[in-house]
Amino acid sequence: MAINTPPNISARIFYGLRTDIQYNAHYLTDSDIIYPAGGVIVIHNHLQKKQKFIRLQDKHKPIKSLVLAPNRRWLALNEIADEGQKPVITIYDLTTYKRRKILTVPFENSTAREFACVQFTFDSKYLVAITGEPDWYLYYYNWDKGKVESHAKAQNPSGQGIVESVQCNPSDATLVVITGPYTFRIMNVSETVWRQWGWCKAENINITSCMWLTPDRIMFGTDNGIIMMVENGELRQNCIFKAVEVMEMSLKKVEAEAEEGDKGSVSSKQETSSDHGTIDSESHPVTCFINFPKGFAFACGPGYVHMFEKETPHHWRKRNLFRISKKSYKHTRENPTWSPLDAIQHITIDPNQETLLITTFRKQLYNVKLFGQHMLQNPEIAFVELGPAMHYGRINSMSMCAWKPIFMTSGEQDKSIRIWNYMTDDVEMIKLYQEEIHCVSLHPTGLFAIVGFSDKLRFMVVLIDDFEVMREFPIRNCKQAKFSTNGHLFAAVNCQVIQVFSSVSFQNVFNLKGHNGKVTCLAWSANDLTLVSCGTEGAVYEWSMSTGQRIGEVILKTNQFRACAVNSTGKTTYAVGTDGEIKEIGANTIRRNLGLIGCALDTIILSRSDMMLFITGGEGGVTAVQLPLLDKAIFNEFHMHNKNVTSIALAYDDQTLVSVAEDASICLWRLTNSEGRAIALDKDFAYSKEILISKKDLQEKINSINLLSTRMSELETEHTYQLRQAEATQAEKLKEVHEGYCAAIEELKEKNEQMENEHTHEIGMIQQDIAKLRSGHEKTLQALEADFNIRLISEYDRYQSLEDKTARMRKDYEQRLEDLAESKRQALREMNSTFEARLEEKDLLLQELQEQADMEKREHETIKSSIEEDADREIIEIRTAYEVQLKEEKDANVRLKGETGLMKKKLISANKEIDEFKHQVSQLKAEHKQFQKVISTLDRDVADLKKEITERDGTIQDKEKRIYELKRKKQELEKYKFVLNFKITELKNQIEPLERDIKEKKLRTLELEESLETLLKQKDFRELKINQLNEKLSSAKKDFLTEADRNLTLKNTLKKIKIDLHNMTADFQDPTKLKLSVKALFHKYVEDIDFVRSRMAEDEAIREFNRQRDHLEKQVAALKMQLEKSLGGSKSDIGKIMDENCTLLSEINSLRTELKSTRTRCFQLESILGLSARYIPPATARAKLKHVTEDREKLEESFKQKIEEREEIIVALKEENERLLEKVRCEED
């Protein structure tokens, strides 16, 4: 199966719903569901279990929501922008699965990073989008043309509340409702202008969800479980319901309610059925409103969905209550409790209104049949998982089986193990645990597994529906464990040691030591003769499984290796790590070091044919690398995940690749070669179909089958008997019904004939009536014509008279109009003359006012700087007013009056300022008087201070005399100091030999410390060895063998005693021989008293030694206290005391080391004597004791001499300390 180019892989199935996206699941058809997963949009056919994918341009870009158009042809992705970027809406065509349009904010000054909500109009031609904080702007897009038709502010005019949802009217594309916490606005657009209408007072209502129930009704829910109604823009006060309790809704129009009085809308709040006591009495928010032609649904309560069926256009009745089942073994434990992960996040309905689909915060889709059993038959209908039951939280381990098409995964957060079948794309088994799971490995047969828990490593048998623990190993927090290729061995990491066990005998075959860091990966060769391991310390080790020795190593401290793979021969290893390079290792050297994708690499896997290599790294990429490696790596990179891939596995037939990521998403890849064809299978390859089942379970199942078969036969006979009885009764009923129908038919025939006769008679009568009415109608018509002719003549005469009258009135009015015009002209002349006179007066008044204004400007030049800006602004305002109102004289006069009023106000303000200044001057004068008083008091203080200065001059003279006397004393003290310095030099000469001794002792202590370190290392090494041996011993023999050995030895000794006692029976007649034989028997089987006494004496010596040590430590503590008291002396003396204390400490340390050595020697002596063993014959113990205790007196004498020497040294040091302290005290005096 030679492949010259990198193998191609194509995603076949991808599971892992993204729960961080709003509206994250929609029905395209009855069988196709679209949802986001990883870095793609998945179109999943749940009937055929096939998938199609829409790959996103930037898979790492966060997505806010996923909105489907009403015609189910377009999909809008609301993407969150990076800092400083504009938010983007991408629209995809769901027929071609390609991107159609990209929409963004058209204005540069927008600072929002995301669209808070997006919605298509009912005709799918327009798209309404509202930006998030701080803008809260509504944009109305004609998305096909890519332009904004109109825009408006979406937030409340007061600026309070936030926007979370926008809903378009189901029949009017220009009408939307905007909702959110403390926000409710109905807005309409006409000619690009948005206007608000209707009720909007939601400042105290936390709205959580909203929908258009009908084109003129809006229903919304609140955070305290209340449903409210807005009809034709007005809030219906009589249509407020409790979401949990309401059973029916009657929403008749207001006019009908007014007519019917008390027979208006009826809410069945009183009908709180006892069947729904399962819902908590506490209020829950109403979320996820969805409307469909046959009714509507919403979520309220812990995992509850309420569905109402439409009975009439104004009446809805509650039909079903759906809930995520508490007893679902896939998500709950023995005592299931409500989890926030099961909160309803989104609800959608299929196009045929047969299925309801929901999403929660788990990576799982749930569905339920919409019109199934009524709630009277089943109060709570449970949701069913759509697709396989997914992990929630990180998948930390995965293992592939060789014999079967299955693989095993373990969840870090949900503490579960799941077995998946990649042929049927389903989960075969799920098991939940209380302990944390760190790693899993599946046996090649698929019948066994090893699982690393937080407390132990367990070897399990995989049964048909359960895991049964077969053996436990004391390895805590095992992060890596793996079966060998052939399954007869398995390796597990215990801290930094790799332990290899047999899968048959469970014996610890090898302990592989060498890693100093965390072991990150284990890899077996095809023939199981080689095991390769790598760690974070940068080491890759190769171990021989025949000897347990390390046969190869490569150490690269600059890199932390994360994964490795070995070829079938075990001679070439491929390793990846944090440096982002793939390393080909062979013969203890790195043959090739090739860069790949420019970031850290996480996992690596090699096919059985050694011709395909797959590597993961970065954020979700899977890379196929061509083998053999050349100087430059040739590879193809494939993307589905958008989080780091934690593990990959390759099927035994090299046709399926499985990858799992940190977000619990699972991708199944199909492998093909470069030409697109599937890779050829091995001949005669077939998967195993066998399973394991315990004998007890099998017997139970056989018994249950037998019981069910007998019950079935009983039911069949009972059913046939009931069927016969039912047929007989039905035949009798049918006969009765047939006779009744025949009689009824005859009666109906007679009635029909009678009715036909009556009908013909009625038709004749009706025709006669019609003829009479026709003749009467003709007569009345003629009479009316004659009457109307007479009326027309009279009306014509009246019209002629009125016409003459109007002509006379016209002439009269024309004459009156001429007279009025002449009088108007005369009045205009008079008014012009009067207004001209007034204008002259106003001009004179204006000149006077101008002069007065000039005078006021000259008088108020001092305050000009303060009012200049106001005056300029007022002048500009007045000038603009003049330019506008110059045409009309009245406005000019008003303007002049306004100016005079302003000037008056300025005069008043100026007078007020003058008064304020006068007030300030009076305040300043008062302050001046106070300051003069203060100055007088300060003068008195100055005089007092001068007196004090004269007094202090006298005291200074006295002080100078005192200083002169002190200087003379100082000279005397300097003489005394010279004498003391001479004494100090003498003391230093005496100290020098002591310092040399101290240096020698320090060197000695260093040598002792070095020897102590070597001894400690030897001790640690031996303790480690002892621990390992103890573990081996405890795991190998256990209590049964120890008890058996003890029992055997006791039996043997008892047998010997019985034999000796039997032999003594011959000497019963001879007392002396009997006495000697009893004594010999006692010495043979009972411990010697001398031996016990020697032990007691030795223990007493150790206690004496400990008592001496405590005494010396107390003396050292007393010396330290004296040293602290004498710290006030000279520095040289303190240094000497410190040196002496150091010597004392070094002596104490040496004594401690000697004590430790004596204890170790005592232990050695006990081991030599055999006192640490359990069973020793007295004769051998006496021989050993005699051999050892010959030189005991010599040892005691040597120890006593050493103790006396140390005591003499301590006494001498004490005397020296006391002498130095006395000198220091003398100097201080």
Side-chain angles (χ1 to χ4, degrees):
M1 194 165 62
I3 299 172
N4 296 324
T5 57
N8 285 326
I9 57 174
S10 59
R12 183 171 62 83
I13 293 290
F14 189 42
Y15 292 120
L17 175 72
R18 286 181 63 176
T19 58
D20 58 339
I21 298 175
Q22 295 177 357
Y23 319 122
N24 54 353
H26 301 278
Y27 269 105
L28 286 184
T29 63
D30 296 337
S31 58
D32 289 339
I33 300 167
I34 187 166
Y35 62 86
V40 297
I41 305 295
V42 179
I43 299 162
H44 178 65
N45 189 317
H46 64 90
L47 298 178
Q48 299 177 359
K49 291 188 178 180
K50 291 183 180 178
Q51 289 185 350
K52 297 176 184 176
F53 306 102
I54 300 173
R55 285 178 169 78
L56 305 179
Q57 295 292 322
D58 186 358
K59 63 175 183 174
H60 302 301
K61 197 168 186 180
I63 299 170
K64 173 85 173 177
S65 59
L66 205 71
V67 181
L68 186 68
N71 62 3
R72 301 182 191 272
R73 187 182 171 186
W74 315 108
L75 182 73
L77 258 71
N78 178 11
E79 300 178 4
I80 300 171
D82 297 329
E83 193 69 37
Q85 300 290 326
K86 291 183 180 179
V88 172
I89 299 171
T90 309
I91 297 174
Y92 288 89
D93 188 345
L94 295 178
T95 56
T96 61
Y97 307 123
K98 292 182 180 178
R99 187 171 61 184
R100 179 69 181 269
K101 278 288 177 187
I102 296 176
L103 307 175
T104 186
V105 179
F107 306 116
E108 293 295 331
N109 57 356
S110 176
T111 57
R113 287 184 55 205
E114 65 180 16
F115 287 103
C117 48
V118 177
Q119 193 68 39
F120 283 95
T121 56
F122 78 99
D123 54 3
S124 304
K125 291 181 181 178
Y126 297 94
L127 187 137
V128 182
I130 298 175
T131 57
E133 57 181 352
D135 296 346
W136 304 112
Y137 248 86
L138 181 147
Y139 296 97
Y140 191 69
Y141 291 93
N142 185 338
W143 67 265
D144 198 18
K145 295 179 181 178
K147 67 176 184 178
V148 176
E149 295 278 338
S150 59
H151 61 88
K153 189 75 174 175
Q155 201 178 15
N156 284 328
S158 62
Q160 295 178 351
I162 62 174
V163 177
E164 284 187 351
S165 171
V166 60
Q167 299 294 328
C168 297
N169 190 282
S171 61
D172 187 357
T174 63
L175 191 62
V176 300
V177 60
I178 299 166
T179 58
Y182 317 110
T183 303
F184 185 91
R185 298 185 76 190
I186 305 171
M187 298 188 74
N188 189 14
V189 62
S190 61
E191 297 179 356
T192 71
V193 177
W194 287 89
R195 293 181 179 87
Q196 177 178 317
W197 68 280
W199 180 81
C200 63
K201 297 178 181 179
E203 292 84 2
N204 298 322
I205 303 173
N206 188 353
I207 299 172
T208 54
S209 183
C210 177
M211 73 169 179
W212 289 90
L213 187 63
T214 60
D216 58 348
R217 290 192 183 109
I218 300 167
M219 183 178 282
F220 63 89
T222 65
D223 64 335
N224 56 359
I226 301 297
I227 296 174
M228 306 175 81
M229 181 74 65
V230 174
E231 185 173 1
N232 292 322
E234 295 180 0
L235 182 68
R236 293 279 300 274
Q237 296 292 341
N238 55 354
C239 293
I240 298 173
F241 310 99
K242 277 193 176 181
V244 176
E245 298 175 358
V246 64
M247 297 300 292
E248 62 176 335
M249 295 182 185
S250 181
L251 311 173
K252 295 181 181 178
K253 293 189 179 293
V254 177
E255 292 84 359
E257 290 171 6
E259 291 173 4
E260 293 177 9
D262 295 334
K263 297 179 181 178
S265 75
V266 179
S267 68
S268 62
K269 292 181 184 180
Q270 67 273 13
E271 291 188 31
T272 55
S273 175
S274 62
D275 293 335
H276 304 288
T278 55
I279 302 177
D280 298 333
S281 59
E282 60 179 326
S283 60
H284 295 277
V286 180
T287 58
C288 305
F289 265 118
I290 184 165
N291 187 18
F292 53 97
K294 294 181 182 178
F296 67 91
F298 61 87
C300 183
Y304 284 99
V305 174
H306 307 255
M307 196 271 282
F308 284 74
E309 186 179 9
K310 185 176 181 180
E311 293 184 345
T312 67
H314 309 294
H315 192 272
W316 286 261
R317 187 179 295 277
K318 191 170 185 178
R319 191 184 191 280
N320 288 109
L321 182 66
F322 307 113
R323 190 182 187 183
I324 298 171
S325 176
K326 279 187 176 183
K327 297 177 181 177
S328 174
Y329 72 95
K330 296 179 175 67
H331 299 306
T332 54
R333 304 193 179 276
E334 293 177 359
N335 299 312
T337 55
W338 158 246
S339 170
L341 293 171
D342 292 321
I344 308 296
Q345 191 179 8
H346 177 56
I347 302 174
T348 185
I349 308 287
D350 72 326
N352 289 340
Q353 304 175 52
E354 293 177 354
T355 311
L356 183 140
L357 179 78
I358 66 163
T359 63
T360 64
F361 289 99
R362 299 183 190 275
K363 296 184 177 296
Q364 188 71 49
L365 295 168
Y366 299 89
N367 69 344
V368 70
K369 191 176 179 182
L370 202 56
F371 293 95
Q373 287 182 318
H374 197 276
M375 66 186 303
L376 298 173
Q377 298 170 340
N378 189 357
E380 274 188 21
I381 299 175
F383 282 102
V384 180
E385 289 89 354
L386 184 67
M390 300 295 296
H391 285 280
Y392 65 90
R394 185 172 178 268
I395 298 175
N396 59 2
S397 182
M398 179 176 64
S399 179
M400 183 71 73
C401 179
W403 285 20
K404 296 180 182 181
I406 60 172
F407 63 94
M408 179 189 282
T409 58
S410 65
E412 188 175 283
Q413 187 178 348
D414 59 6
K415 300 175 184 175
S416 68
I417 300 173
R418 298 166 196 245
I419 291 182
W420 308 71
N421 191 316
Y422 57 80
M423 299 291 282
T424 61
D425 303 328
D426 203 357
V427 178
E428 291 193 347
M429 187 162 43
I430 299 172
K431 186 69 180 289
L432 294 155
Y433 292 93
Q434 298 292 335
E435 301 90 358
E436 291 182 3
I437 303 166
H438 296 290
C439 67
V440 293
S441 182
L442 203 55
H443 196 269
T445 61
L447 303 176
F448 307 99
I450 49 173
V451 183
F453 291 94
S454 56
D455 56 347
K456 287 181 182 179
L457 178 74
R458 293 180 171 88
F459 188 96
M460 296 184 172
V461 180
V462 182
L463 300 175
I464 186 171
D465 57 357
D466 196 5
F467 294 97
E468 186 177 335
V469 178
M470 190 173 179
R471 194 67 174 263
E472 293 182 344
F473 301 92
I475 300 175
R476 297 170 64 86
N477 298 323
C478 180
K479 302 288 185 184
Q480 295 290 331
K482 194 169 184 180
F483 274 105
S484 62
T485 308
N486 296 314
H488 66 289
L489 297 172
F490 66 89
V493 176
N494 188 358
C495 295
Q496 296 173 356
V497 180
I498 302 168
Q499 294 183 331
V500 181
F501 295 90
S502 171
S503 301
V504 180
S505 63
F506 302 114
Q507 289 183 355
N508 188 356
V509 183
F510 300 117
N511 287 324
L512 311 178
K513 299 174 185 176
H515 283 283
N516 294 324
K518 179 185 174 184
V519 179
T520 54
C521 186
L522 301 172
W524 292 84
S525 63
N527 54 12
D528 291 338
L529 295 176
T530 305
L531 175 67
V532 177
S533 63
C534 63
T536 55
E537 78 276 18
V540 178
Y541 293 142
E542 186 178 345
W543 312 87
S544 171
M545 288 296 100
S546 56
T547 61
Q549 299 297 319
R550 188 165 62 204
I551 57 174
E553 63 178 24
V554 169
I555 298 173
L556 192 65
K557 292 186 177 179
T558 57
N559 179 33
Q560 293 183 3
F561 286 105
R562 291 182 177 173
C564 60
V566 63
N567 66 356
S568 56
T569 60
K571 293 181 179 179
T572 304
T573 302
Y574 301 94
V576 293
T578 54
D579 60 356
E581 295 177 343
I582 179 171
K583 295 173 175 59
E584 183 181 343
I585 300 167
N588 296 337
T589 58
I590 299 174
R591 294 175 184 168
R592 285 183 179 82
N593 199 356
L594 305 177
L596 212 59
I597 57 175
C599 60
L601 304 177
D602 298 322
T603 59
I604 184 170
I605 193 165
L606 186 65
S607 67
R608 285 192 306 118
S609 59
D610 295 339
M611 297 305 293
M612 292 187 291
L613 187 67
F614 298 97
I615 296 170
T616 66
E619 293 190 351
V622 178
T623 307
V625 183
Q626 178 184 331
L627 289 179
L629 293 176
L630 304 176
D631 294 336
K632 186 178 180 182
I634 301 171
F635 61 90
N636 292 329
E637 193 172 2
F638 305 91
H639 289 280
M640 288 294 284
H641 303 279
N642 66 340
K643 299 288 184 185
N644 288 345
V645 176
T646 56
S647 182
I648 56 173
L650 197 59
Y652 191 73
D653 58 359
D654 288 347
Q655 282 200 337
T656 303
L657 180 73
V658 183
S659 61
V660 296
E662 286 183 346
D663 59 352
S665 59
I666 298 176
C667 186
L668 305 180
W669 306 79
R670 185 188 295 108
L671 272 66
T672 57
N673 60 17
S674 58
E675 297 173 359
R677 295 194 300 272
I679 294 167
L681 269 172
D682 293 342
K683 290 182 180 180
D684 302 328
F685 178 81
Y687 283 117
S688 169
K689 296 180 181 179
E690 287 75 19
I691 55 170
L692 287 180
I693 184 167
S694 64
K695 195 171 182 181
K696 184 181 177 183
D697 293 343
L698 183 63
Q699 191 63 40
E700 287 177 358
K701 288 184 187 298
I702 290 166
N703 293 334
S704 63
I705 288 164
N706 292 331
L707 286 169
L708 289 169
S709 59
T710 53
R711 178 66 180 152
M712 189 73 185
S713 61
E714 289 172 2
L715 286 169
E716 281 178 357
T717 54
E718 189 179 347
H719 181 67
T720 52
Y721 176 70
Q722 289 175 357
L723 193 64
R724 284 172 189 167
Q725 283 186 337
E727 284 175 355
T729 54
Q730 292 296 328
E732 290 176 1
K733 285 180 182 178
L734 187 64
K735 190 176 179 181
E736 291 173 0
V737 169
H738 182 67
E739 291 173 354
Y741 273 117
C742 289
I745 288 164
E746 292 296 328
E747 288 177 4
L748 287 169
K749 281 180 181 179
E750 291 174 0
K751 284 182 181 179
N752 195 11
E753 289 174 357
Q754 187 180 354
M755 288 172 73
E756 282 179 356
N757 295 328
E758 290 175 357
H759 183 62
T760 51
H761 178 69
E762 284 176 358
I763 287 168
M765 294 295 289
I766 288 163
Q767 285 176 353
Q768 290 175 5
D769 293 339
I770 288 167
K772 288 178 183 177
L773 287 168
R774 190 175 289 155
S775 61
H777 180 67
E778 286 175 355
K779 289 176 182 177
T780 54
L781 188 64
Q782 290 171 1
L784 285 168
E785 280 181 357
D787 189 21
F788 275 110
N789 286 328
I790 294 163
R791 284 185 184 180
L792 277 169
I793 291 162
S794 63
E795 288 292 331
Y796 181 73
D797 294 337
R798 190 181 172 192
Y799 172 71
Q800 288 293 329
S801 63
L802 287 169
E803 203 170 20
D804 295 337
K805 190 177 180 181
T806 53
R808 288 194 300 272
M809 288 175 73
R810 189 181 289 114
K811 287 179 183 179
D812 189 16
Y813 277 119
E814 283 176 356
Q815 184 65 36
R816 287 171 68 184
L817 279 169
E818 286 177 0
D819 296 339
L820 286 168
E822 185 63 30
S823 63
K824 188 178 179 182
R825 288 191 204 101
Q826 186 67 31
L828 280 169
R829 288 192 207 98
E830 291 175 359
M831 285 174 74
N832 280 331
S833 61
T834 54
F835 274 111
E836 282 174 358
R838 282 184 186 179
L839 187 63
E840 287 176 358
E841 290 176 2
K842 294 290 181 184
D843 288 336
L844 292 171
L845 184 63
L846 181 65
Q847 288 176 2
E848 290 176 1
L849 289 169
Q850 192 68 35
E851 289 174 359
Q852 189 177 357
D854 293 336
M855 288 174 68
E856 285 174 356
K857 282 181 184 177
R858 285 193 296 274
E859 287 174 0
H860 297 290
E861 280 177 358
T862 55
I863 59 170
K864 184 180 178 183
S865 60
S866 64
I867 62 171
E868 193 171 2
E869 293 178 359
D870 296 334
D872 290 334
R873 187 171 65 253
E874 287 167 359
I875 288 162
I876 290 163
E877 290 174 358
I878 292 162
R879 188 181 295 157
T880 54
Y882 287 160
E883 287 173 356
V884 173
Q885 299 173 0
L886 270 173
K887 294 178 183 179
E888 297 176 5
E889 289 178 359
K890 289 180 181 181
D891 295 337
N893 289 330
V894 171
R895 186 189 65 195
L896 289 168
K897 286 178 182 178
E899 274 189 356
T900 55
L902 288 168
M903 296 305 291
K904 284 178 183 178
K905 287 179 183 178
K906 287 178 185 176
L907 279 169
I908 291 163
S909 63
N911 289 326
K912 284 181 180 178
E913 287 179 358
I914 288 162
D915 293 336
E916 287 176 359
F917 283 133
K918 285 179 180 178
H919 182 64
Q920 287 178 2
V921 166
S922 62
Q923 284 180 347
L924 289 168
K925 284 179 179 178
E927 288 178 358
H928 181 66
K929 288 178 181 178
Q930 289 177 358
F931 283 134
Q932 282 181 347
K933 290 178 182 178
V934 171
I935 287 162
S936 62
T937 54
L938 289 170
D939 288 336
R940 287 196 295 273
D941 291 338
V942 167
D944 294 334
L945 289 168
K946 282 180 180 178
K947 286 180 182 178
E948 280 187 14
I949 288 163
T950 54
E951 290 174 358
R952 288 187 179 181
D953 286 336
T955 55
I956 286 164
Q957 289 176 1
D958 295 334
K959 294 283 184 185
E960 284 178 351
K961 289 178 182 177
R962 175 71 176 159
I963 287 162
Y964 177 71
E965 291 174 357
L966 289 169
K967 281 181 180 179
R968 281 191 302 169
K969 285 183 178 179
K970 183 185 175 185
Q971 289 176 357
E972 292 175 359
L973 287 168
E974 282 179 353
K975 291 177 183 177
Y976 185 66
K977 182 184 176 184
F978 177 75
V979 175
L980 288 172
N981 284 332
F982 180 73
K983 289 181 180 178
I984 286 163
T985 52
E986 287 181 353
L987 288 168
K988 281 182 180 178
N989 293 327
Q990 291 176 4
I991 287 164
E992 282 177 0
L994 291 170
E995 285 180 348
R996 283 196 295 272
D997 292 338
I998 288 162
K999 284 179 182 178
E1000 290 174 359
K1001 287 178 179 178
K1002 281 182 180 178
L1003 292 170
R1004 175 65 179 157
T1005 53
L1006 289 170
E1007 289 174 0
L1008 289 168
E1009 283 176 357
E1010 287 175 359
S1011 63
L1012 181 65
E1013 284 177 1
T1014 54
L1015 287 168
L1016 286 170
K1017 285 178 182 177
Q1018 288 177 2
K1019 182 195 169 190
D1020 293 338
F1021 176 75
R1022 285 175 180 170
E1023 283 180 353
L1024 181 64
K1025 204 165 183 179
I1026 287 160
N1027 289 331
Q1028 291 173 355
L1029 290 168
N1030 286 332
E1031 286 177 2
K1032 285 182 182 180
L1033 191 65
S1034 61
S1035 61
K1037 290 183 180 179
K1038 291 193 174 179
D1039 295 337
F1040 176 77
L1041 292 176
T1042 53
E1043 289 296 328
D1045 290 339
R1046 189 182 172 195
N1047 195 8
L1048 191 64
T1049 51
L1050 287 169
K1051 281 180 180 178
N1052 289 331
T1053 52
L1054 191 63
K1055 206 174 204 180
K1056 289 176 183 178
I1057 290 166
K1058 282 179 179 179
I1059 291 162
D1060 291 335
L1061 286 169
H1062 183 68
N1063 292 330
M1064 283 169 61
T1065 54
D1067 299 327
F1068 274 173
Q1069 303 300 325
D1070 193 353
T1072 55
K1073 286 182 181 181
L1074 185 63
K1075 187 179 179 182
L1076 290 170
S1077 58
V1078 167
K1079 195 182 285 185
L1081 188 65
F1082 176 77
H1083 286 299
K1084 189 175 181 180
Y1085 295 105
V1086 182
E1087 200 171 18
D1088 199 354
I1089 295 166
D1090 296 333
F1091 182 71
V1092 175
R1093 285 176 182 171
S1094 63
R1095 283 287 300 274
M1096 288 170 66
E1098 197 164 341
D1099 292 338
E1100 194 172 348
I1102 290 164
R1103 283 197 296 274
E1104 180 66 24
F1105 186 77
N1106 289 332
R1107 191 178 62 76
Q1108 292 289 338
R1109 187 190 65 182
D1110 294 336
H1111 179 66
L1112 290 172
E1113 285 177 354
K1114 286 176 184 176
Q1115 285 184 344
V1116 169
L1119 289 169
K1120 281 183 181 177
M1121 291 294 290
Q1122 289 178 4
L1123 186 64
E1124 286 173 2
K1125 288 178 183 177
S1126 64
L1127 280 174
S1130 64
K1131 291 182 180 178
S1132 61
D1133 294 334
I1134 289 164
K1136 288 175 188 176
I1137 293 163
M1138 288 296 289
D1139 291 337
E1140 287 171 359
N1141 282 331
C1142 288
T1143 55
L1144 285 169
L1145 289 170
S1146 62
E1147 289 290 333
I1148 289 160
N1149 288 330
S1150 63
L1151 287 169
R1152 284 176 178 167
T1153 53
E1154 285 179 5
L1155 179 63
K1156 199 168 186 180
S1157 64
T1158 52
R1159 283 180 176 171
T1160 54
R1161 194 174 175 194
C1162 287
F1163 180 76
Q1164 288 172 1
L1165 287 168
E1166 285 181 358
S1167 61
I1168 291 164
L1169 292 170
L1171 299 176
S1172 57
R1174 285 188 179 179
Y1175 307 110
I1176 299 166
T1180 55
R1182 279 200 303 275
K1184 286 181 181 179
L1185 185 63
K1186 189 176 180 182
H1187 179 69
V1188 171
T1189 53
E1190 285 177 351
D1191 298 327
R1192 184 182 169 188
E1193 294 177 357
K1194 293 178 182 178
L1195 289 169
E1196 287 180 353
E1197 287 176 2
S1198 63
F1199 274 119
K1200 284 179 182 177
Q1201 286 176 1
K1202 285 180 182 178
I1203 289 163
E1204 288 173 359
E1205 288 173 1
R1206 297 290 184 271
E1207 287 178 350
E1208 288 173 0
I1209 291 164
I1210 289 163
V1211 169
L1213 289 168
K1214 279 182 181 179
E1215 291 174 355
E1216 187 67 24
N1217 275 335
E1218 288 174 358
R1219 190 173 60 79
L1220 289 169
L1221 287 167
E1222 286 175 1
K1223 285 182 181 179
V1224 170
R1225 287 173 192 145
C1226 292
E1227 288 174 3
E1228 286 175 356
D1229 295 332

